[in-house]
């Protein structure tokens, strides 16, 4: 599974918007080359809603545990329900304990190194083990974001 595979998939979801900041644009340099996925049927980046998925291609300040500075490594982060988080990670999101968790393990569903308590899971360089699951989680996250937007 590649970044382009994921971006191609989410772009087929109705109302999907992928923000991909580039060098010299209006977004901070740290975000250049990364991707932020929203439900935004009007084609505009929501101002008060977090993306339901992100793809990061490098370490961020305070988020170096995935070791994304090594060539070819990247991470997808997906918002999941509390119940799904517990099933995937084996822990409650609100009390996640990182002791003994290798946050750099590739092709493994992990608690997000920074935002696990908000219900985000992460997969470093998804591959054979996690590819189908990542696709399923993205669809679920999109559907939940769409349902939330349509309730308001």
């Amino acid at each position: 599974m590649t970044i382009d595979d994921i971006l191609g998939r989410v772009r087929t979801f109705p109302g999907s918007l992928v923000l991909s900041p580039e060098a010299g644009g209006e977004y901070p340099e740290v975000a250049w080359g990364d991707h932020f996925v929203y439900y935004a049927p009007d084609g505009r980046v929501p101002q008060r809603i977090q993306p339901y998925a992100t793809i990061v291609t490098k370490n961020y300040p305070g988020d170096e545990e995935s070791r994304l500075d090594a060539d070819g490594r990247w991470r997808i982060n997906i918002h999941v329900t509390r119940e799904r988080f517990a099933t995937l990670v084996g822990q409650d999101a609100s009390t996640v304990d990182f002791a003994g968790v290798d946050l750099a393990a590739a092709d493994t569903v992990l608690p997000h190194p920074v935002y696990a308590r908000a219900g985000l899971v992460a997969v470093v360089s998804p591959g054979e083990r996690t590819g189908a699951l990542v696709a399923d989680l993205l669809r679920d996250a999109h559907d939940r974001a769409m349902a939330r937007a349509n309730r308001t």
Side-chain angles (χ1 to χ4, degrees):
M1 176 170 269
T2 67
I3 292 172
D4 287 338
D5 292 334
I6 292 171
L7 295 176
R9 178 177 300 272
V10 298
R11 285 183 174 125
T12 68
F13 299 164
S16 180
L17 173 68
V18 178
L19 172 67
S20 301
E22 296 179 357
E26 64 182 286
Y27 297 97
E29 183 176 350
V30 70
W32 296 353
D34 294 339
H35 309 276
F36 304 83
V37 185
Y38 298 88
Y39 174 72
D42 62 1
R44 294 182 298 179
V45 176
Q47 297 302 303
R48 293 185 181 96
I49 296 174
Q50 294 294 315
Y52 66 81
T54 61
I55 297 172
V56 294
T57 58
K58 63 194 138 325
N59 290 333
Y60 274 62
D63 183 4
E64 297 93 8
E65 297 291 324
S66 297
R67 296 197 301 266
L68 301 179
D69 51 346
D71 283 346
R73 290 176 62 86
W74 53 279
R75 186 180 74 213
I76 183 158
N77 310 302
I78 307 168
H79 189 264
V80 298
T81 65
R82 298 262 178 211
E83 296 78 21
R84 193 86 185 255
F85 186 97
T87 300
L88 293 168
V89 176
Q91 297 188 54
D92 185 286
S94 63
T95 58
V96 69
D97 179 4
F98 293 101
V101 177
D102 179 4
L103 294 171
D107 200 19
T108 304
V109 178
L110 302 162
H112 187 284
V114 177
Y115 300 110
R117 289 190 172 96
L120 270 76
V121 294
V123 180
V124 175
S125 304
E128 272 188 42
R129 276 194 314 231
T130 59
L133 177 60
V134 164
D136 180 51
L137 295 174
L138 285 167
R139 172 49 92 174
D140 287 350
H142 174 81
D143 290 351
R144 284 192 325 280
M146 186 168 57
R148 273 191 308 275
N150 290 331
R151 279 195 304 257
T152 58

